[in-house]
Amino acid sequence: MSLLTVSGLGKSFGGIRAVDGIDFELKAGELLALIGPNGAGKSTTFNMVNGQLRADRGSIRLEGVELVGLKPRQIWRLGVGRTFQIAATFASLTVVENVQMALISADRRLYSFWRPAREHKRDEALELLKKVGMAAQADRPCSVLAYGDVKRVELAIAMANAPKLLLMDEPTAGMAPAERNDLMALTKDLVVERNMGVLFTEHSMDVVFAYADRMVVLARGRLIAQGAPSEIRDDPKVQEVYFGSGKTFEKKAVAAEAVP
Ligand code: ADP
Ligand code: MG
């Protein structure tokens, strides 16, 4: 069974069909990129999956369980995680304290709400930080971290909930190319190691072509193509919506940044 099954999904705002009946699946252990030009419906799709927007029609199932109609918190409890920007109020906490808080909150999800956290989870938090390459900075306040390092901590926080499906909306926005590659390589490792599914939106075609296992391409609310990066790169419909006719994705730039 697929981890995530989206079928006939639609959402309109006034007269605009932001998402107009799309179907796709995502398997455990798969990194799926959702791409398309501005206004294609990526964020709307994303927010229907995490429960911030309610679909007008269609269905979104996680291991067969219908998510349409559930609240974000309920969807999170079922094992759908997302990377959040670390809230300003948490910036004064240290790196490890942020991850400890996430672990305590995840414990409540996995066990019960009233059972107090037995320990402060520092060891477990350090373990997660080691995974994302941030153990050495565990006791620094988040407010002093470099941008790329904040992103690693956000990933550790999302992993605290042991999600089955992780949603990442433009995870590498604002990052330098080397940092982008580090973050995506790390994400890819986690996907493989935990057999987790990842759905991400991304502007950088270099990142998408280098790291996505599969891609779903939206344009004006419709799904116009899906498949492996190699299939999508040469798809005339995809090139048309990105460039108009006659141009193609830059293959050299992609090869230069590809996973070693
Ligand atoms: P993308 O993330 O691919 O750029 P969006 O999902 O944000 O696209 O938007 C898809 C379409 O829906 C756009 O035409 C956008 O203007 C419209 N839209 C998105 N959110 C809203 C909203 N809250 N109210 C009205 N229109 C919206
Ligand atoms: Mg968007």
Side-chain angles (χ1 to χ4, degrees):
M1 195 204 301
S2 281
L3 177 62
L4 183 75
T5 309
V6 169
S7 44
L9 189 66
K11 175 84 187 169
S12 297
F13 297 106
I16 299 167
R17 291 181 176 177
V19 175
D20 193 9
I22 63 171
D23 304 88
F24 66 88
E25 295 191 354
L26 193 165
K27 293 195 283 282
E30 189 173 48
L31 251 171
L32 180 67
L34 191 59
I35 70 161
N38 275 337
K42 303 182 296 294
S43 295
T44 303
T45 301
F46 211 80
N47 289 328
M48 285 191 278
V49 177
N50 68 39
Q52 300 216 288
L53 280 175
R54 191 187 169 122
D56 297 338
R57 60 196 167 96
S59 116
I60 304 169
R61 275 167 291 147
L62 183 79
E63 293 179 327
V65 176
E66 183 58 67
L67 302 185
V68 172
L70 300 186
K71 297 199 161 62
R73 183 86 194 165
Q74 296 173 306
I75 292 173
W76 176 78
R77 283 201 200 108
L78 288 171
V80 178
R82 53 186 297 211
T83 49
F84 279 104
Q85 308 264 21
I86 294 174
T89 45
F90 292 2
S92 62
L93 296 184
T94 65
V95 168
V96 71
E97 284 165 351
N98 264 288
V99 179
Q100 283 171 259
M101 283 185 50
L103 283 166
I104 289 165
S105 146
D107 234 17
R108 294 202 178 116
R109 171 179 87 85
L110 295 169
Y111 302 104
S112 74
F113 239 93
W114 51 86
R115 176 168 143 184
R118 285 153 306 163
E119 13 153 5
H120 296 294
K121 302 216 165 270
R122 187 178 159 94
D123 292 347
E124 213 178 322
L126 286 172
E127 205 52 44
L128 269 174
L129 287 171
K130 207 160 99 189
K131 187 119 282 170
V132 300
M134 287 296 293
Q137 302 197 61
D139 293 314
R140 302 184 75 200
C142 277
S143 56
V144 305
L145 297 182
Y147 188 71
D149 291 341
V150 170
K151 293 284 167 188
R152 288 167 177 274
V153 178
E154 285 171 6
L155 188 56
I157 288 171
M159 294 310 298
N161 188 37
K164 295 172 182 166
L165 171 66
L166 180 63
L167 305 174
M168 303 172 90
D169 202 358
E170 301 206 15
T172 73
M175 295 178 112
E179 281 182 328
R180 276 193 229 150
N181 280 310
D182 284 353
L183 187 76
M184 291 313 295
L186 175 60
T187 305
K188 181 88 188 171
D189 285 349
L190 290 169
V191 162
V192 172
E193 184 190 300
R194 308 203 169 192
N195 199 34
M196 171 178 78
V198 171
L199 178 67
F200 73 113
T201 64
E202 178 62 56
H203 266 314
S204 163
M205 286 303 131
D206 294 346
V207 168
V208 170
F209 284 130
Y211 292 98
D213 296 312
R214 265 186 335 113
M215 318 167 50
V216 163
V217 188
L218 301 182
R220 295 185 184 176
R222 298 287 183 96
L223 193 156
I224 61 161
Q226 61 176 316
S230 57
E231 298 166 309
I232 297 300
R233 185 180 292 145
D234 298 324
D235 187 312
K237 268 186 298 187
V238 177
Q239 290 169 355
E240 174 79 36
V241 301
Y242 268 93
F243 305 114
S245 50
K247 286 193 197 149
T248 58
F249 290 108
E250 187 61 67
K251 291 189 184 179
K252 258 166 69 187
V254 174
E257 270 200 305
V259 201

